[in-house]
Amino acid sequence: MPKPTLTAKDIVTWYSKNARDLPWRKTIDPYKIWLSEIILQQTTVAQGTSYYLKFISVYPTLTDLASAPIDDVLKNWQGLGYYSRARNLHFSANYIINECNGIFPNNYIDLLKLKGVGAYTAAAISSFSYKENKVVVDGNVIRVISRLYGINEAVDNPKVLKLIKEKAQQLCDTQSPEVFNQAIMEFGALQCKAKNPNCKSCPLQKSCIAYKKNIQDQIPFKAKRIKKTNRYFKYCFFIIDNSKTLIIKRSEKDIWQGLYEFPLLELEALEEEHGFVMPKNIKIRPSEVLTSKIFKHQLTHQTIRAVFYKTYISQADYNLMLKKGVFNNYLLINVENINKYALPRLIDLYLNDLSITLF
DNA sequence: AAGGCGGGGGT
DNA sequence: ACCCCAGCCTT
């Protein structure tokens, strides 16, 4: 093992004094580590912790997760976002059960074969559970390394990222990887923060090139910026026979895949004069239509403006439409059961926003 | 190599 | 408003 560098040692020493007490640090069970890492992808500790505790409680073993219906997994994931993580989690659980004899992959290369596990997560699991010497490179590590070495080129350039990974691995090589990996991420999260880094009390002050040049707040630099598109949704919240409603599972390669929503009409714009429009031009005159406010829902790449039309439909009218095949792919459920289905945050917000009762 | 994928919180 | 958060998959 190479001689510990002062820098790597400083980070680990800092960690020993400043580490938070996080639940996934109390185990080396690869299944639980895996759960925590998938949950925490692009997610803050504050947001992800309750989900981690829920998942290890509801699905204490790999078998529990693999044998659960995907709809249940998505329901438990509801509100956390990036739902492909939950779908891949469930898929990979079954992959391990069926293709790996239920034995959790125990090295970086095999971990990478799991759907939803990339370079970061494979390094995390292999180091935390098996002490494999693979450095984790997440947003925290990119920030720490790029500042430490004064790398002011775009970190979203693969060549620059590769350099950062090499620098990080060199530091990791001099320490116990399972400790160093936790330490450098914690250091990035608490000390070398994105905004207002705490340079005044930083143990790396003397070796940090960004600090020396006073350019901490310009590093890491990203060249790309996200562009947002506007989308306009009209949802039909049918109350059929004073008790039931229609929902449908989203299946397209689009947002919220696998989640349920009301019948949807998507428009180029929300033009108020259109008012209530039945999907697919259904000719029916509901006795009453309650129009919601416009819900503005902000996603990373999309701004959605949605209006909900709550309409009352008789059983006879519903039967008529059903006979015409209008609602072939929709699910007729009791309104009171709607919260048993995984719903996008937008739908959930609408349902909880109703100051009036559901009926 | 680039684009798409949620939701919450900080500044 | 914009950025960031224990990233990854698809095209």
Side-chain angles (χ1 to χ4, degrees), chain A residues 286-299:
Chain A
S287 56
E288 189 181 2
V289 177
L290 296 176
T291 304
S292 78
K293 68 173 186 182
I294 296 176
F295 285 76
K296 186 178 172 185
H297 194 64
Q298 188 64 60
L299 305 181

Side-chain angles (χ1 to χ4, degrees), chain A residues 192-212:
Chain A
C192 195
K193 297 177 293 182
K195 305 283 181 185
N196 304 322
N198 195 357
C199 300
K200 299 257 187 301
S201 72
C202 182
L204 304 187
Q205 204 184 82
K206 287 182 178 171
S207 46
C208 181
I209 294 179
Y211 178 77
K212 205 167 294 178

Side-chain angles (χ1 to χ4, degrees), chain A residues 20-46:
Chain A
R20 288 170 292 183
D21 185 19
L22 302 177
W24 44 88
R25 290 189 183 146
K26 301 179 188 300
T27 182
I28 60 164
D29 178 354
Y31 165 69
K32 289 180 181 174
I33 300 289
W34 173 54
L35 267 182
S36 74
E37 294 303 338
I38 301 298
I39 286 172
L40 289 168
Q41 285 170 7
Q42 293 294 285
T43 303
T44 56
V45 166

Side-chain angles (χ1 to χ4, degrees), chain A residues 15 20-21 40 48 65-66 69 76 104 117 123 132 139 165 197 214 246 287 289-290 307 309 314 341 351 354:
Chain A
Y15 178 67
R20 288 170 292 183
D21 185 19
L40 289 168
L65 177 61
N76 284 314
F104 211 96
V117 172
E132 188 169 341
K165 286 187 176 182
N214 194 26
L246 290 172
S287 56
V289 177
L290 296 176
V307 172
Y309 297 104
S314 70
Y341 295 83
L351 291 170
L354 288 176

Side-chain angles (χ1 to χ4, degrees), chain A residues 181-352:
Chain A
N181 279 344
Q182 290 285 0
I184 190 170
M185 285 195 287
E186 193 80 332
F187 184 77
L190 301 182
Q191 185 79 22
C192 195
K193 297 177 293 182
K195 305 283 181 185
N196 304 322
N198 195 357
C199 300
K200 299 257 187 301
S201 72
C202 182
L204 304 187
Q205 204 184 82
K206 287 182 178 171
S207 46
C208 181
I209 294 179
Y211 178 77
K212 205 167 294 178
K213 295 182 176 176
N214 194 26
I215 53 173
Q216 317 85 289
D217 54 350
Q218 300 164 41
I219 295 182
F221 166 73
K222 290 182 182 171
K224 299 170 194 162
R225 56 196 63 175
I226 46 177
K227 56 178 177 185
K228 287 171 190 162
T229 59
N230 290 311
R231 296 178 76 174
Y232 305 92
F233 290 177
K234 286 188 172 183
Y235 279 118
C236 299
F237 180 23
F238 295 121
I239 308 287
I240 298 161
D241 194 25
N242 289 315
S243 62
K244 290 160 281 187
T245 193
L246 290 172
I247 59 174
I248 190 167
K249 190 173 193 168
R250 289 183 67 93
S251 57
E252 303 303 312
K253 286 183 179 175
D254 194 0
I255 55 171
W256 302 328
Q257 189 183 351
L259 275 60
Y260 290 83
E261 66 184 357
F262 297 123
L264 167 64
L265 188 66
E266 182 166 2
L267 305 174
E268 295 300 315
L270 273 190
E271 300 167 35
E272 278 318 292
E273 58 267 28
H274 281 179
F276 175 71
V277 180
M278 279 287 193
K280 300 179 182 177
N281 300 320
I282 302 159
K283 303 289 189 233
I284 185 177
R285 303 191 202 300
S287 56
E288 189 181 2
V289 177
L290 296 176
T291 304
S292 78
K293 68 173 186 182
I294 296 176
F295 285 76
K296 186 178 172 185
H297 194 64
Q298 188 64 60
L299 305 181
T300 299
H301 298 272
Q302 305 182 12
T303 304
I304 298 170
R305 289 177 178 80
V307 172
F308 293 80
Y309 297 104
K310 182 175 162 190
T311 74
Y312 293 83
I313 295 179
S314 70
Q315 184 72 51
D317 277 346
Y318 174 71
N319 290 343
L320 201 64
M321 294 192 291
L322 196 61
K323 205 172 290 182
K324 290 180 181 174
V326 172
F327 291 138
N328 273 348
N329 299 316
Y330 292 82
L331 207 55
L332 184 66
I333 65 165
N334 286 321
V335 173
E336 58 200 16
N337 288 335
I338 191 161
N339 279 312
K340 293 182 179 176
Y341 295 83
L343 307 170
R345 189 82 178 105
L346 172 61
I347 305 285
D348 201 41
L349 284 172
Y350 165 70
L351 291 170
N352 287 313

